[in-house]
């Protein structure tokens, strides 16, 4: 649905986007992740045809953005970082205007506007002036504007920025709902957002793709092994030999220790789930099992690791473009790490 | 075409929702009224023979009243039209709404023409206020209508030139004030450009006189529709719109 090939954007001597390539399939939600100034907004502007790329090709819904801009734009909905609202228009007037310039036929206009307002829960805001809306409502009117003409592709630049927690949850749900018949690209620098809404993540830094994968695969890939945190009350006994004896355990290190309660980091091969064995061992020894949880590398860690070190980046970038793992992400399949 | 009209309608609406349209209409009417009354006074004095021309006489209203009045109108417009166009692109760029227009299935040509027609519509409305004043002349006197019509055509063409330059300059900046002041300065320069001609040679003088934007209006209010003048204004408008298109394109490449 979206095909980006070797796109480069230079502003004079500055390279904002450097040889970027990725594909997004129909119905997919792709998260665009990167620190501020990484080139997210520039990339999105290129995808929408707002900016021309210095080099490279972008196809949206089968149309080249540079050669057939009108056709491509007809099939694209875009929410820029600041919602493009005219303060002097009411929400109704604004959406009417947008429907016209997006080429929604007159007969469908009212119905399309109604459904867009319904989906973004602004149905009762029609008479309000855009200039007087709160940040949350501006964002939603912006979103309504983007989905109004029922585009194949939705490009959302930080759609949840400035919203309160409840609105963020609603917006995420809306985006997830939209993904069925729309292809969505959203940019963010909020990491949990990506793991909650996106099937695939493109991490970019300084204009280059650092990694493309599902959020779960990213997590798994960067971890050669799995670590569990275990807290036991052994009443003074040393649990190390017993723990090390559990099948599958590679190593046990003491994390913290006080008043007879010990915290241990238990490392195992990434494919083995040793939690049952481990808890059984603790219980049969008559100790108190206080806590047992997997220590997962969060997206934050991955993000920091990828955007600060260059070494692991190369190995991951090699996988760029394989979007077939999208489904596996939902089935918690981590065995391929 | 539908898109152009939608955009023009949006522009016109924007003028009327903000105070701009009302301020322009009111002050234009006020200033035009002032020049109108003072030229009536002048004409009355003239026809009473107060300038020692031997008693009362019949004065040509077109020649002594309407023509100078249109000349004065041109000067009022020179001051006021930059305020009409200064926000057009600058404000869209500042607030980011230009992103909506440029990512919608619209061509640059449609966007520019929509803005141009929107501004022209308000300008036409401003001019139409003066129909009342001119109508009164027809009620009490017997001016010829042909020079009045051609005079209005001249004013429309001249105003169109002002607006197209205003759009071009507005598309080069994010700041309305910068756009307004620059437009005013450029128009002023095009007005006074032939003054310098007086001191230089005849060749330069005729070139500079040709460039002067108000110079071309006079023949229209005399009742002469000269293709030279029409060509001048139409070229001016085309150039202004072309520059706007170029500046939009450049803004795109430079970010």
């Amino acid at each position: 649905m979206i095909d980006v090939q070797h796109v480069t954007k230079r502003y004079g001597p500055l390279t904002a986007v450097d040889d970027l390539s990725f594909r997004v399939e129909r119905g997919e939600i792709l998260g665009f992740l990167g620190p501020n100034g990484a080139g997210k907004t520039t990339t999105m502007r290129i995808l929408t045809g707002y900016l021309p790329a210095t080099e490279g090709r972008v196809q949206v819904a089968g149309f080249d953005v540079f050669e057939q801009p009108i056709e491509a734009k007809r099939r694209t909905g875009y929410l820029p970082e600041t919602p493009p609202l005219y303060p002097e228009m009411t929400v109704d007037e604004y959406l009417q205007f947008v429907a016209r310039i997006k080429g929604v036929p007159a007969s469908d206009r009212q119905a399309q506007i109604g459904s867009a307002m319904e989906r973004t829960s602004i149905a009762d805001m029609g008479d309000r002036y855009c200039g007087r809306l709160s940040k949350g409502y501006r964002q939603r009117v912006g979103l309504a504007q983007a989905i109004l003409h029922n585009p194949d592709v939705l490009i959302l630049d930080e759609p949840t920025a400035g919203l309160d927690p409840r609105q963020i949850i609603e917006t995420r749900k809306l985006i997830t709902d939209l993904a069925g018949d729309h292809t969505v690209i959203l940019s963010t620098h909020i990491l949990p957002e990506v793991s909650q809404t996106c099937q695939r993540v493109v991490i970019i830094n300084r204009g280059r793709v650092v990694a493309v994968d599902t959020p779960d695969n990213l997590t798994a890939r960067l971890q050669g092994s799995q670590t569990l945190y275990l807290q036991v009350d052994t009443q003074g006994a040393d649990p190390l030999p017993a723990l090390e004896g559990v099948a599958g355990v590679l190593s046990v290190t003491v994390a913290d220790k006080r008043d007879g309660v010990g915290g241990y980091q238990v490392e195992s091969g990434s494919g083995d789930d040793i939690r049952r064995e481990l808890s059984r061992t603790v219980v049969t020894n008559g100790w108190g099992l206080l806590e047992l949880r997997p220590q997962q590398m969060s997206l934050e860690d991955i993000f920091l690791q990828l955007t600060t070190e260059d070494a692991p980046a190369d190995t991951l970038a090699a996988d760029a473009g394989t979007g077939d793992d999208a489904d596996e992400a939902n089935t918690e399949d981590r065995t391929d790490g | 075409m539908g898109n152009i009209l939608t955009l023009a309608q949006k522009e016109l609406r924007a003028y009327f929702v903000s105070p701009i349209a009302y301020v322009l209409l009111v002050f234009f009417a006020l200033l035009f009224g002032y020049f109108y009354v003072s030229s009536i006074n002048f004409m009355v004095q003239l026809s009473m023979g107060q300038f020692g021309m031997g008693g009362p006489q019949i004065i040509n209203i077109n020649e002594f009243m309407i023509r100078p009045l249109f000349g004065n109108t041109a000067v009022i417009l020179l001051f006021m039209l930059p305020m009409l166009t200064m926000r057009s692109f600058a404000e869209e760029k500042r607030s980011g709404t230009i992103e909506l227009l440029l990512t919608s299935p619209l061509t640059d040509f449609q966007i520019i023409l929509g803005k141009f027609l929107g501004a022209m519509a308000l300008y036409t409305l401003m001019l139409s206020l003066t129909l009342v004043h001119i109508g009164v002349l027809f009620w009490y006197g017997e001016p010829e209508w042909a020079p009045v019509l051609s005079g209005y055509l001249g004013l429309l063409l001249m105003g169109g030139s002002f607006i197209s330059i205003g759009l071009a300059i507005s598309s080069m900046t994010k700041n309305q004030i910068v756009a307004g002041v620059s437009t005013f300065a450029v128009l002023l320069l095009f007005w006074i450009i032939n003054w310098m001609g007086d001191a230089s040679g005849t060749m330069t003088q005729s070139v500079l006189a040709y460039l002067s934007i108000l110079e071309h209006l006079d023949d229209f209010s005399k009742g002469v529709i000269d293709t030279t003048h029409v060509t001048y204004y139409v070229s001016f408008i085309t150039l202004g719109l072309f520059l706007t298109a170029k500046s939009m394109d450049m803004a795109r490449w430079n970010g």
Side-chain angles (χ1 to χ4, degrees):
Chain A
M1 192 58 29
I2 301 171
D3 190 4
V4 179
Q5 285 174 14
H6 306 291
V7 165
T8 298
K9 176 71 184 175
R10 290 190 203 92
Y11 298 113
L14 183 89
T15 305
V17 174
D18 192 3
D19 195 28
L20 197 69
S21 298
F22 62 91
R23 286 171 62 93
V24 192
E25 304 303 328
R26 176 179 283 279
E28 206 180 350
I29 307 181
L30 180 85
F32 223 62
L33 196 62
N36 290 325
K40 289 175 301 208
T41 298
T42 304
T43 308
M44 296 196 136
R45 285 180 163 176
I46 291 171
L47 295 184
T48 55
Y50 178 71
L51 288 178
T54 318
E55 281 161 37
R57 267 160 46 86
V58 177
Q59 276 201 344
V60 169
F63 294 96
D64 190 297
V65 172
F66 315 118
E67 274 148 34
Q68 295 154 294
I70 300 294
E71 290 303 317
K73 286 172 184 176
R74 220 185 279 283
R75 289 162 180 78
T76 310
Y78 175 43
L79 172 66
E81 225 171 327
T82 28
L85 308 183
Y86 290 103
E88 74 274 4
M89 289 188 190
T90 64
V91 172
D92 274 337
E93 285 165 350
Y94 174 71
L95 294 176
Q96 274 286 346
F97 171 69
V98 174
R100 280 161 182 256
I101 60 170
K102 298 279 183 193
V104 179
S107 49
D108 302 346
R109 231 172 261 157
Q110 220 46 54
Q112 302 266 71
I113 292 172
S115 98
M117 288 175 86
E118 202 69 48
R119 294 184 93 160
T120 50
S121 23
I122 50 166
D124 51 343
M125 302 299 285
D127 298 331
R128 298 282 204 90
Y129 280 98
C130 292
R132 297 210 182 130
L133 295 176
S134 66
K135 175 76 181 134
Y137 273 112
R138 300 174 130 255
Q139 199 72 23
R140 287 197 235 176
V141 175
L143 205 55
Q145 164 271 126
I147 63 174
L148 190 56
H149 53 305
N150 214 2
D152 294 335
V153 171
L154 264 178
I155 296 176
L156 312 172
D157 200 350
E158 310 212 347
T160 56
L163 300 183
D164 66 38
R166 200 174 55 90
Q167 293 166 336
I168 291 179
I169 292 168
E170 284 173 11
T171 308
R172 280 183 194 153
K173 191 178 171 304
L174 174 66
I175 293 169
T176 325
D177 291 347
L178 287 170
D181 26 270
H182 307 263
T183 304
V184 184
I185 295 191
L186 66 90
S187 81
T188 179
H189 56 258
I190 307 162
L191 296 152
E193 188 151 298
V194 168
S195 43
Q196 283 172 29
T197 44
C198 302
Q199 289 141 6
R200 221 144 54 88
V201 189
V202 172
I203 298 181
I204 66 168
N205 190 34
R206 277 180 260 130
R208 304 193 69 121
V209 173
V210 179
V212 183
D213 213 328
T214 64
D216 291 337
N217 277 351
L218 275 178
T219 318
R221 250 164 229 239
L222 280 159
Q223 283 176 304
S225 58
Q226 214 173 0
T227 310
L228 294 170
Y229 177 79
L230 174 73
Q231 202 178 42
V232 281
D233 181 1
T234 54
Q235 283 116 20
D238 183 9
L240 280 181
L243 293 177
E244 276 164 351
V246 174
V249 171
L250 298 175
S251 71
V252 182
T253 48
V254 182
D256 53 83
K257 201 165 194 178
R258 72 180 101 79
D259 303 337
V261 177
Y264 302 91
Q265 273 173 345
V266 183
E267 207 179 316
S268 68
S270 64
D272 312 323
D273 189 352
I274 56 160
R275 281 174 295 181
R276 288 169 198 83
E277 274 305 307
L278 210 56
S279 53
R280 199 168 299 131
T281 310
V282 171
V283 174
T284 46
N285 278 299
W287 302 324
L289 177 58
L290 302 181
E291 195 175 345
L292 174 62
R293 61 181 158 89
Q295 274 198 326
Q296 224 179 47
M297 213 170 166
S298 68
L299 266 172
E300 267 93 347
D301 301 326
I302 299 167
F303 184 69
L304 284 174
Q305 193 170 332
L306 287 172
T307 52
T308 49
E309 287 170 35
D310 288 335
D314 293 336
T315 54
L316 278 160
D319 298 309
T322 53
D324 312 326
D325 318 327
D327 291 339
E328 293 172 23
N330 301 332
T331 53
E332 306 271 21
D333 188 351
R334 290 206 189 84
T335 50
D336 59 353
Chain B
M1 194 59 208
N3 281 335
I4 298 176
L5 288 181
T6 304
L7 289 165
Q9 201 186 332
K10 176 221 131 203
E11 288 299 311
L12 193 60
R13 246 196 67 81
Y15 286 127
F16 278 96
V17 174
S18 68
I20 296 177
Y22 303 100
V23 169
L24 284 174
L25 286 168
V26 165
F27 283 100
F28 178 70
L30 204 70
L31 289 165
F32 184 86
Y34 173 79
F35 282 114
Y36 178 76
V37 170
S38 66
S39 64
I40 281 186
N41 276 339
F42 171 70
M43 202 184 66
V44 168
Q45 287 173 352
L46 203 62
S47 61
M48 295 302 204
Q50 285 183 0
F51 296 103
M53 280 187 283
Q57 49 190 293
I58 294 175
I59 300 285
N60 182 332
I61 303 185
N62 288 92
E63 194 62 17
F64 285 92
M65 164 130 196
I66 299 176
R67 199 179 133 204
L69 189 59
F70 278 4
N72 290 332
T73 309
V75 179
I76 307 176
L77 293 173
L78 192 91
F79 283 86
M80 297 190 92
L81 289 187
M83 293 172 217
L84 196 151
T85 50
M86 65 183 190
R87 63 188 294 286
S88 59
F89 280 96
E91 182 61 17
E92 301 241 23
K93 285 170 93 166
R94 195 196 55 79
S95 71
T97 46
I98 193 82
E99 275 195 78
L100 171 68
L101 297 184
L102 293 184
T103 57
S104 293
L106 301 169
T107 60
D108 287 2
F109 175 76
Q110 288 173 330
I111 296 172
I112 295 168
L113 220 58
K115 285 192 176 291
F116 179 71
L117 290 181
M120 278 305 276
L122 178 58
Y123 170 52
T124 310
L125 196 68
M126 281 165 69
L127 275 188
S128 65
L129 292 178
T130 67
L131 288 175
V132 180
H133 305 76
I134 303 295
V136 170
L137 295 181
F138 277 92
W139 189 261
Y140 288 104
E142 283 170 347
E144 286 177 71
W145 59 267
V148 173
L149 278 189
S150 64
Y152 272 115
L153 176 67
L155 280 179
L156 275 178
L157 285 170
M158 190 200 65
S161 311
F162 289 3
I163 287 170
S164 75
I165 284 294
L167 288 182
I169 293 175
S170 182
S171 70
M172 295 172 194
T173 173
K174 279 184 182 176
N175 188 316
Q176 296 189 37
I177 307 299
V178 169
V181 171
S182 315
T183 308
F184 174 65
V186 168
L187 293 180
L188 197 62
L189 198 70
F190 268 103
W191 177 25
I192 59 175
I193 198 164
N194 62 333
W195 296 6
M196 196 174 71
D198 298 343
S200 46
T202 45
M203 178 60 191
T204 339
Q205 194 178 348
S206 59
V207 170
L208 293 180
Y210 179 76
L211 285 178
S212 176
I213 200 163
L214 295 193
E215 198 77 349
H216 297 272
L217 181 70
D218 201 37
D219 275 350
F220 282 101
S221 28
K222 278 188 214 160
V224 181
I225 301 178
D226 188 334
T227 44
T228 322
H229 303 317
V230 176
T231 312
Y232 174 85
Y233 283 134
V234 171
S235 320
F236 210 107
I237 293 170
T238 314
L239 178 74
L241 300 183
F242 174 75
L243 283 178
T244 315
K246 274 287 145 202
S247 119
M248 277 176 82
D249 217 35
M250 268 173 65
R252 194 170 280 155
W253 283 100
N254 299 326

